[in-house]
Amino acid sequence: MSDTDTTETAAAFEPTIVAFFCNWCTYLAADLAGTSRMKYAPNARIIRVMCSGRVDPQFVFDAFAKGADGVLIGGCHPGDCHYQEGNTKALRRFTLLRRMLTDLGVEEERIRLEWISAAEADRLRDVMNEMADQIRALGPFRLPDGAVAPAAPRREEVPA
Amino acid sequence: MREPNGTPRIGVYVCHCGTNIASTVDVAAVRDAAESLPGVVLSRDYKYMCSDPGQELIKHDIAEFGLERVVVASCSPCLHEETFRGAVGEGGINPYFFQMVNIREHDSWVHRDIAAATAKANDLIRAAVRRVRFHEPLEPRRVPIDPRVMVVGGGIAGIHAALTLANAGKQVYLVEREPSIGGHMAMFDKTFPTLDCAACILTPKMTQVRAHPNIQIMTMSEVEEVSGFVGDYRVRVKHHPRFVIEDACVGCLECIDACVFRNGKTPDEFNLGLSKRKPIYIPFPQAVPQVVVIDPEACIEFRAGCRKKTCVEVCAERNAIDFQQEVTYDEVTVGAIILATGFQAFEASRLPQYGYGRLDAVYTALEVERLVNASGPTEGSIVLRDGSTPTSIGIIHCIGSRDKNTNEYCSRVCCMYSLKLAHLLKEKTDAEIYEFYIDMRTPGKGFEEFYNRVEEEGVHFIRGKVADVYPEAGNTGRVVLQAEDTLAGMVRKIPVDMVVLATGLEPQPDAEDVRRTFNITCGSGGFFTERHPKLAPVSTFTDGVFLAGACQGPKDIPDTVAQAGAAAAEALALIDAGHIELEPNTAFVVEERCSGCRTCVGMCPFSAISIVDGKAVINEVLCKGCGTCVAACPSGAIRQNLFEDEEIFEEILGVLTHV
């Protein structure tokens, strides 16, 4: 890909991020960001789960397979889990999952686990913005060579 | 993978929320986009879906158009999921045939770009429409609730909450860390703006608490661990040794006189170190319980062994003194918990420019409360550390409040208590009093009138924050307050005999530990977070845990009492129902798919899963619905109501499919 090519794609490309947020901390942080009228990048689509421990690695694979450019998992800080330790289970899975994905050639920035408490709306905003910026710079997610093409059509790109 | 049962008829409702949503999301376009989604037979937009007409619309459409599933795109499900489920249920279909889409908090309020926000709303609604097809009919879980309540913290908030509940016939455990209940209010002299004597209005309530058959006071106690859930909290309470048997002590205080220490040598906590106490002491005259306490750090019995044991001798057959007492634990079960753990005063030495701890003339406001109090270290006369009586006094506002270097927030009570202290000090010493303030904040019943009164009494008000406090030249013992008078536009240097620092309110030093123990959240200032700042001000995100008083944020006594009453009422409403309804989001095992691998057993933090006859079995009562086992099951044999794999896969596909 030539330099000019990259610039052109980067200007038009807006990544889609699938975000799995736990009901008690990060989902509420997103609610608080709303009631506080903070502004952040509109790239993430939040899917609510009761606990970050509910996030099955298959959800992450499926999101990438269906056309996500990044996946964000949000849970309570260690020790603060509403279910005592679901978040540590999530962390355990995430560590393996990310290693597996990076081994497959997926850039590390595309998959992220964040502890964001219900009070940390500012942190939520910063993570949303940072992740959108990083993935925008990386460009659209492409499945590694040899993998099957996404089953669903990709989102049409919305001009920034 | 399961398929939806047929193709249910779906209705989609897009809320404008006035202009809250409609100004950033093109609701008409969103409505039209939803209409073309598979299964959607009807799509509407409406100004306020949560209003009665909005809910009626849903009920009407279910009957008129035979809707089998409903999707409402509006605010956060935390606000109105219950509302809409109710409407759907009243409309005649199962209330769980409903999915809510958050296009306000997660969309219109956080984005500026209309095209992007509209696209996001479309994606989220598409996900919900896909998901709702898989919803199963469910019933809320009903669990019994223990009628007992624990109140943590025995200040005015905890006292009022405990009394309210006890008067309603509920059994209350009141846990207090100190040897006596009473909290900060017991230390105050008068209360603003009415100048009621704090002890006169507080101690009758303390006595009521002691006498109440429904209240069990646990002093010198702390909550060590909380397990269980709303309706059934198991609380482990740690009791520190008092070295005096509470039931045996009659509060005669003869042991204090008999102590081998002629005079106290230990700084008296209640008087903030302005006086000394003996190793055996009562925290303050009206302490509840009226029981002495022994400080093992100071008592020579603990250090070297006291041959005389004069306290034991004088106690004689009452035999209340027990040097062998150890830490003990209790485990109690309660249905609800009220946290009333209060605040700590800002540590004034953190701002060295004001000289606290370095200059004898500088006091904190709380110390002055004790100085002006008749039962305080000087029996109410204003005698400074050097033995003199002040003829000029400076009061500095906003110490540790409204300051980017310490706390950004306003502590709400300091302006008023500074006015009160100015009045009391003026009354007692006739000194010249200078109040250095940033803004006077007196928004309460009778507050502004009190401000005017104190001004008429001749107190000087200088608008400006003191920059420096330094000793006057010539060893006069006085200190100089240097401040920019922002009204007069000049720098003032005023020498005074005494400085009062109006310290702000901070969270308790261990608020973070308490937060963890009770699984609640703290805001940026470190105070506990209420469930909703306006509509659920005493609830927390943990069901059955309520907040009262300054642990939730700085507040004065009237507000604290009001909040404590509210917390008690909320707890009462919860436990009086006898049972609670919980989300039916529990996990269950599809037996024929289970291989009995036991992966799930170790996943469950609540020990709800066991293996019976080689298959996993989930105890529905113990399951809290986190779904961790569902994600871990390698055979896909565990499902979670409301969060089925298919439902989440459909959401993923929904947000990623552009139509």
Side-chain angles (χ1 to χ4, degrees):
Chain A
M1 213 182 271
S2 75
D3 283 342
T4 38
D5 254 342
T6 325
T7 331
E8 272 172 25
T9 341
F13 168 65
E14 276 301 321
T16 305
I17 298 165
V18 175
F20 298 99
F21 284 173
C22 87
N23 183 58
W24 304 99
C25 288
T26 315
Y27 192 90
L28 295 176
D31 275 6
L32 181 62
T35 43
S36 313
R37 309 297 199 279
M38 290 176 177
K39 302 293 177 218
Y40 57 80
N43 304 67
R45 304 288 180 261
I46 298 169
I47 293 176
R48 183 166 70 120
V49 286
M50 292 310 285
C51 178
S52 52
R54 175 69 183 92
V55 180
D56 191 323
Q58 288 192 68
F59 297 166
V60 179
F61 288 121
D62 195 57
F64 281 120
K66 301 280 163 54
D69 300 299
V71 173
L72 171 64
I73 302 168
C76 309
H77 285 269
D80 290 353
C81 179
H82 191 80
Y83 305 102
Q84 296 177 15
E85 51 192 32
N87 53 358
T88 60
K89 305 289 194 308
L91 174 64
R92 221 157 69 178
R93 278 181 209 135
F94 174 81
T95 313
L96 281 170
L97 177 65
R98 182 147 86 168
R99 188 189 294 174
M100 193 169 164
L101 284 166
T102 45
D103 284 354
L104 284 168
V106 177
E107 298 91 337
E108 214 178 62
E109 291 87 344
R110 293 193 190 273
I111 162 97
R112 194 158 164 174
L113 172 68
E114 287 290 341
W115 309 135
I116 303 175
S117 84
E120 294 174 323
D122 48 350
R123 194 167 148 63
L124 179 111
R125 173 198 60 200
D126 296 346
V127 167
M128 290 289 206
N129 286 334
E130 198 180 288
M131 203 166 168
D133 286 346
Q134 285 174 346
I135 298 179
R136 199 177 293 120
L138 286 175
F141 173 70
R142 306 265 183 238
L143 281 170
D145 289 344
V148 261
R154 283 192 49 79
R155 273 182 53 76
E156 277 173 20
E157 281 147 9
V158 181
Chain B
M1 191 169 283
R2 290 184 312 124
E3 286 297 323
N5 303 324
T7 45
R9 298 167 63 80
I10 305 171
V12 176
Y13 299 84
V14 184
C15 182
H16 297 210
C17 194
T19 55
N20 280 304
I21 293 169
S23 62
T24 324
V25 170
D26 183 345
V27 285
V30 171
R31 177 205 60 209
D32 291 344
E35 195 148 42
S36 64
L37 293 172
V40 174
V41 295
L42 173 151
S43 178
R44 294 186 193 273
D45 62 298
Y46 191 72
K47 204 149 181 80
Y48 291 104
M49 278 312 296
C50 62
S51 66
D52 280 348
Q55 295 181 54
E56 284 303 323
L57 199 58
I58 297 175
K59 292 184 221 170
H60 167 267
D61 289 348
I62 291 172
E64 178 81 17
F65 300 99
L67 298 183
E68 293 159 306
R69 298 288 188 278
V70 172
V71 170
V72 177
S74 54
C75 50
S76 169
C78 293
L79 287 175
H80 279 305
E81 191 169 50
E82 279 313 304
T83 312
F84 295 125
R85 274 185 187 163
V88 169
E90 284 170 32
I93 57 175
N94 186 281
Y96 296 92
F97 284 164
F98 165 74
Q99 180 67 16
M100 192 154 175
V101 187
N102 187 340
I103 58 167
R104 193 179 72 171
E105 282 83 349
H106 290 189
D107 192 8
S108 70
W109 276 352
V110 288
H111 305 312
R112 289 196 181 89
D113 184 294
I114 292 179
T118 305
K120 184 170 177 178
N122 282 335
D123 286 353
L124 294 172
I125 290 172
R126 194 181 317 109
V129 166
R130 296 193 71 97
R131 160 196 238 279
V132 81
R133 296 178 302 148
F134 287 85
H135 281 206
E136 300 269 356
L138 296 168
E139 294 294 328
R141 287 187 289 157
R142 278 168 73 99
V143 295
I145 190 158
D146 192 294
R148 290 168 291 188
V149 180
M150 175 168 283
V151 177
V152 185
I156 180 59
I159 287 172
H160 188 78
L163 277 176
T164 308
L165 286 160
N167 288 338
K170 301 298 165 195
Q171 180 109 49
V172 181
Y173 300 103
L174 179 58
V175 181
E176 168 60 50
R177 167 153 69 185
E178 300 295 329
S180 169
I181 60 168
H184 278 100
M185 187 177 168
M187 299 164 89
F188 300 158
D189 182 53
K190 302 283 192 293
T191 56
F192 61 77
T194 47
L195 300 176
D196 298 273
C197 144
C200 313
I201 54 177
L202 177 65
T203 49
K205 289 187 84 106
M206 289 166 62
T207 315
Q208 281 174 44
V209 169
R210 175 176 55 190
H212 209 296
N214 292 341
I215 301 178
Q216 185 181 338
I217 306 177
M218 298 174 170
T219 47
M220 304 192 72
S221 302
E222 292 177 277
V223 172
E224 177 103 336
E225 199 186 330
V226 179
S227 59
F229 246 67
V230 54
D232 185 31
Y233 282 113
R234 311 279 160 86
V235 189
R236 188 170 153 87
V237 184
K238 179 181 187 177
H239 307 294
H240 296 279
R242 183 188 274 272
F243 303 110
V244 173
I245 300 163
E246 267 190 45
D247 294 336
C249 176
V250 293
C252 66
L253 313 186
E254 281 174 33
C255 51
I256 301 178
D257 289 335
C259 178
V260 292
F261 281 74
R262 280 274 178 79
N263 297 302
K265 287 187 175 165
T266 313
D268 184 339
E269 294 86 353
F270 191 74
N271 284 330
L272 302 153
L274 295 172
S275 64
K276 304 275 202 246
R277 60 158 174 81
K278 292 186 181 182
I280 187 162
Y281 66 103
I282 188 143
F284 56 101
Q286 304 95 335
V288 167
Q290 270 287 311
V291 175
V292 294
V293 52
I294 296 174
D295 174 1
E297 299 287 312
C299 175
I300 52 171
E301 166 67 22
F302 289 89
R303 286 186 299 168
C306 173
R307 254 171 281 162
K308 290 175 94 176
K309 293 192 178 64
T310 46
C311 53
V312 178
E313 276 169 28
V314 75
C315 195
E317 73 277 6
R318 290 189 291 267
N319 235 332
I321 292 170
D322 177 6
F323 292 114
Q324 311 306 320
Q325 271 188 2
E326 287 178 356
V327 170
T328 56
Y329 295 90
D330 253 329
E331 187 158 309
V332 297
T333 307
V334 294
I337 296 168
I338 295 176
L339 287 179
T341 50
F343 67 94
Q344 69 168 337
F346 176 79
E347 174 50 55
S349 58
R350 278 169 57 193
L351 295 172
Q353 65 268 37
Y354 298 117
Y356 180 74
R358 181 163 50 86
L359 301 171
D360 276 350
V362 182
Y363 291 80
T364 67
L366 205 51
E367 288 173 339
V368 179
E369 293 280 355
R370 296 312 302 146
L371 274 185
V372 296
N373 190 284
S375 66
T378 55
E379 286 167 348
S381 43
I382 309 304
V383 183
L384 300 183
R385 291 189 179 99
D386 64 4
S388 67
T389 300
T391 57
S392 54
I393 301 168
I395 302 178
I396 310 176
H397 288 221
C398 299
I399 303 296
S401 311
R402 305 184 68 200
D403 180 349
K404 289 239 152 115
N405 299 311
T406 55
N407 295 307
E408 238 183 296
Y409 56 83
C410 165
S411 290
R412 282 188 67 183
V413 293
C414 321
C415 280
M416 282 306 293
Y417 79 56
S418 296
L419 290 170
K420 173 193 73 180
L421 290 176
H423 166 86
L424 295 173
L425 289 166
K426 187 94 187 157
E427 192 177 62
K428 295 211 167 194
T429 62
D430 202 30
E432 288 299 323
I433 297 183
Y434 305 89
E435 294 239 17
F436 293 86
Y437 66 97
I438 307 178
D439 297 292
M440 283 306 292
R441 294 192 165 174
T442 56
K445 203 172 180 181
F447 287 14
E448 186 71 12
E449 294 91 323
F450 187 74
Y451 174 26
N452 292 334
R453 170 183 167 179
V454 173
E455 204 165 20
E456 279 161 23
E457 286 170 359
V459 171
H460 309 289
F461 288 89
I462 299 163
R463 185 170 177 274
K465 189 157 187 185
V466 172
D468 199 10
V469 177
Y470 55 89
E472 193 180 37
N475 226 349
T476 58
R478 285 146 63 105
V479 293
V480 180
L481 302 182
Q482 181 177 321
E484 185 188 352
D485 183 333
T486 56
L487 293 181
M490 60 186 285
V491 172
R492 287 190 190 271
K493 292 179 182 175
I494 299 177
V496 293
D497 298 319
M498 179 188 193
V499 177
V500 183
L501 301 181
T503 44
L505 274 52
E506 284 196 328
Q508 288 277 15
D510 57 351
E512 178 66 20
D513 299 332
V514 175
R515 180 188 74 69
R516 287 223 157 149
T517 304
F518 292 93
N519 210 337
I520 57 169
T521 48
C522 283
S524 45
F527 292 101
F528 300 149
T529 313
E530 61 282 5
R531 193 178 188 111
H532 190 277
K534 280 128 197 140
L535 300 179
V538 300
S539 306
T540 65
F541 282 106
T542 302
D543 287 334
V545 177
F546 302 97
L547 303 175
C551 64
Q552 180 260 344
K555 56 179 65 65
D556 61 9
I557 295 167
D559 285 1
T560 295
V561 172
Q563 204 186 20
E570 293 275 359
L572 197 59
L574 174 75
I575 58 178
D576 234 24
H579 69 271
I580 29 166
E581 294 197 339
L582 299 177
E583 281 277 283
N585 54 14
T586 44
F588 58 98
V589 178
V590 183
E591 206 186 303
E592 54 275 20
R593 303 190 70 173
C594 176
S595 65
C597 72
R598 313 181 79 94
T599 304
C600 52
V601 177
M603 283 289 145
C604 181
F606 306 102
S607 309
I609 313 179
S610 49
I611 302 286
V612 178
D613 296 334
K615 303 275 183 187
V617 176
I618 297 176
N619 180 332
E620 205 207 16
V621 178
L622 295 178
C623 175
K624 307 300 173 211
C626 62
T628 304
C629 59
V630 191
C633 179
S635 348
I638 309 182
R639 290 166 53 184
Q640 183 187 10
N641 285 321
L642 291 172
F643 294 91
E644 302 250 18
D645 277 350
E646 291 83 355
E647 291 166 356
I648 297 170
F649 281 125
E650 288 296 326
E651 281 192 78
I652 295 168
L653 187 58
V655 295
L656 294 170
T657 312
H658 191 77
V659 284

